[in-house]
Amino acid sequence: MGDVFQFMTLTRNPGDKVQAEVRKIEFKEIYRPLNSADAAEQAGRCLSCGNPYCEWECPVHNFIPNWLKMVNEGRLFEAAELSHKTNSLPEICGRVCPQDRLCEGACTLEQGGFGGVTIGSIEKYITDEAYKAGWRPDMSKVVWTDKKVAVIGAGPAGLGCADVLVRNGVKPVVFDRYEEIGGLLTFGIPEFKLEKTVVKRRREIMEGMGVEFRLNTEIGRDIQIEELLEQYDAVFMGMGAYKYMKGGFDGESLPGVLEALPFLINNVRQHLGTLPADETPLSMKDKRVVVLGGGDTAMDCNRTSIRQGAERVICAYRRDEANMPGSKREVANAKEEGVEFLWNRQPLGIEQAADGSLRLKLAETRLGAPDAKGRRSAEIVPGSEEIIECDHVVIAFGFQAEAADWFERHSIKVDERGRTLASGRAKYKYQTSNARIFAGGDQVRGADLVVRAVYEGRQAAEGMLEYLQVW
């Protein structure tokens, strides 16, 4: 790169952010894409560190300085090929990864107070613009085998697995219960973070590579696992973590109390026009809404409610802002859009008033001793109870994996939290206790980042290639 001190005169630019008053009434991505000149300039801020902390902090270990250099030099197609060497969904991770906690947070410029390189914005720029210019994955050197693998789940782990398999000549057939690919990328993440045309384009790319998708197909309902084991050489499970985590207080099942994920899925399906005829459209228009939780899913519920026209949205979290598990960027966006935050609040119960509205009882908390993971536990302050009157409470306490009913008869082991046992350090990476079945992503590690699911899906594919003696 030309001027190694460019970072001193050129400020960080992740792309213009749409003003809150505009964006809070529309379901569109809030960051404008970089143009080619801005992308090249921003890439030029990279110091090309000899030991790039950004690359090590990235869960898929992207070759970040290398493709930044290519963008700076105008070598777009090369950058696209290189970014796909490590990541099956770079344009999606560029949009939804919490870069402030990963690559950009580790950037030497960020640590030095100059503002980290806008890695996420450039990552999505590469695939977006390369695709427009005609780039497609180069499959000309693939030597096809006679092997076939069934992939259960078209979410990040399943897509990552299918990508590596097809590039190595193994035919992946991906089964998913939803009507479109993506899993939570499509149905859980709102459009203001990830427009669904991006996921549909990724489907077109993968189908062009030779990946086959069989949608609206649930294993155990539409096709049995025994059929997959009979028809395919191996099976990969990337079924995610969808089990709703309850708060354990009275009133969780009252009318007007919603689980986060069904609420988000309902909203996306309304926009896609795929809401089932027997499902009622959910809307927060003119409603008073309280969202319980402090992760990214809670922020998605907050900001979706704002866009649906809620009268008021309050987010209550049991710890302080510094201890929130979600992205600081998402919290800042929610604040700008009008979400109110109540820190250090523990829900104690919900009652229904005579008029059908809800009365949410909260207590103030203080942070006590650290828990097993080092996070300070929330302790209730005696006599601090308060009541918030509202129309809806959305519970966003997270999700857990769970075993399918056919796990036991096929000797697939899970741990006490329902996570499938499959290790990246096994002889064949991410092989389960059933030798022909592999697993990865949230199903194995519990609810986590998209990029980590992609990584495990890719790693599992490598394990399968060795197991099938393709490698």
Side-chain angles (χ1 to χ4, degrees), residues 153-349:
L159 296 179
C161 180
D163 178 41
V164 172
L165 290 174
V166 77
R167 288 175 184 269
N168 286 275
V170 174
K171 174 71 174 180
V173 180
V174 184
F175 297 82
D176 198 276
R177 59 179 171 171
Y178 288 115
E179 64 269 20
E180 188 51 86
I181 77 162
L184 293 185
L185 295 176
T186 296
F187 297 99
I189 297 178
E191 295 93 327
F192 49 80
K193 289 169 63 177
L194 175 63
E195 292 180 13
K196 304 316 164 189
T197 53
V198 177
V199 185
K200 289 182 177 180
R201 181 182 64 198
R202 177 52 58 177
R203 176 181 174 180
E204 293 174 6
I205 290 173
M206 298 192 77
E207 287 178 331
M209 296 167 68
V211 178
E212 180 181 343
F213 293 102
R214 297 187 186 177
L215 304 177
N216 291 306
T217 304
E218 184 172 347
I219 310 305
R221 183 192 67 187
D222 304 297
I223 187 171
Q224 301 304 312
I225 185 66
E226 288 79 9
E227 296 177 69
L228 300 186
L229 290 169
E230 181 181 333
Q231 297 171 17
Y232 296 87
D233 298 288
V235 174
F236 172 77
M237 302 187 301
M239 300 187 294
Y242 286 85
K243 184 180 178 181
Y244 158 64
M245 293 177 63
K246 294 185 177 182
F249 48 80
D250 292 338
E252 281 188 275
S253 59
L254 285 172
V257 180
L258 306 174
E259 298 175 22
L261 192 52
F263 168 57
L264 293 173
I265 292 174
N266 183 286
N267 178 73
V268 169
R269 280 178 157 168
Q270 288 184 59
H271 288 270
L272 291 178
T274 62
L275 189 69
D278 60 351
E279 187 172 337
T280 302
L282 298 175
S283 175
M284 299 300 176
K285 183 173 175 57
D286 300 326
K287 304 294 186 182
R288 299 163 299 170
V289 181
V290 179
V291 177
L292 302 178
D296 288 342
T297 299
M299 296 310 111
D300 292 344
C301 293
N302 288 323
R303 300 174 66 201
T304 293
S305 299
I306 288 285
R307 283 162 175 76
Q308 288 188 345
E311 177 185 312
R312 186 184 187 191
V313 179
I314 297 173
C315 182
Y317 178 59
R318 61 178 176 159
R319 294 184 174 92
D320 59 16
E321 183 171 4
N323 283 278
M324 290 189 79
S327 165
K328 291 180 173 60
R329 179 179 61 191
E330 292 304 305
V331 174
N333 288 333
K335 288 180 178 179
E336 291 174 1
E337 292 166 9
V339 176
E340 303 171 43
F341 285 85
L342 284 178
W343 311 114
N344 298 103
R345 295 296 196 281
Q346 176 82 32
L348 299 180

Side-chain angles (χ1 to χ4, degrees), residues 23 36 39 70 76 97 111 124 162 169 178 233 239 261 317 327 352 367 387 409 466:
R23 71 178 192 249
S36 58
M70 291 173 177
L76 184 60
C97 267
Q111 297 299 315
K124 70 178 182 180
Y178 288 115
D233 298 288
M239 300 187 294
L261 192 52
Y317 178 59
S327 165
Q352 190 168 38
L367 296 182
I387 299 292
R409 68 176 185 266
E466 291 191 45

Side-chain angles (χ1 to χ4, degrees), residues 394-464:
V394 182
I395 299 178
F397 290 152
F399 312 98
Q400 292 180 325
E402 62 179 334
D405 58 10
W406 39 267
F407 275 26
E408 187 173 350
R409 68 176 185 266
H410 288 282
S411 303
I412 301 169
K413 295 180 180 179
V414 299
D415 67 10
E416 69 282 355
R417 295 168 61 186
R419 298 176 299 187
T420 302
L421 296 178
S423 172
R425 293 184 292 273
K427 178 182 179 181
Y428 300 115
K429 290 183 287 189
Y430 292 98
Q431 186 180 48
T432 70
S433 47
N434 182 317
R436 294 184 59 204
I437 300 177
F438 293 67
D442 289 2
Q443 180 176 343
V444 169
R445 64 184 304 121
D448 205 337
L449 301 177
V450 168
V451 66
R452 292 199 175 104
V454 171
Y455 176 77
E456 291 194 356
R458 292 174 61 88
Q459 290 288 295
E462 292 181 3
M464 298 174 92

Side-chain angles (χ1 to χ4, degrees), residues 2 17 20 22 30 52 67 71 74 77 113 131 137 146 156 203 277-278 306 313 326-328 341 350 356 370 391:
K17 184 160 68 170
V22 175
I30 73 170
W67 44 251
V71 171
F77 279 25
Y131 185 86
D146 61 352
R203 176 181 174 180
D278 60 351
I306 288 285
V313 179
S327 165
K328 291 180 173 60
F341 285 85
I350 307 171
D391 300 297

Side-chain angles (χ1 to χ4, degrees), residues 2-10 47:
D3 181 9
V4 73
F5 297 107
Q6 185 172 349
F7 68 90
M8 300 186 70
T9 56
L10 184 66
L47 299 178

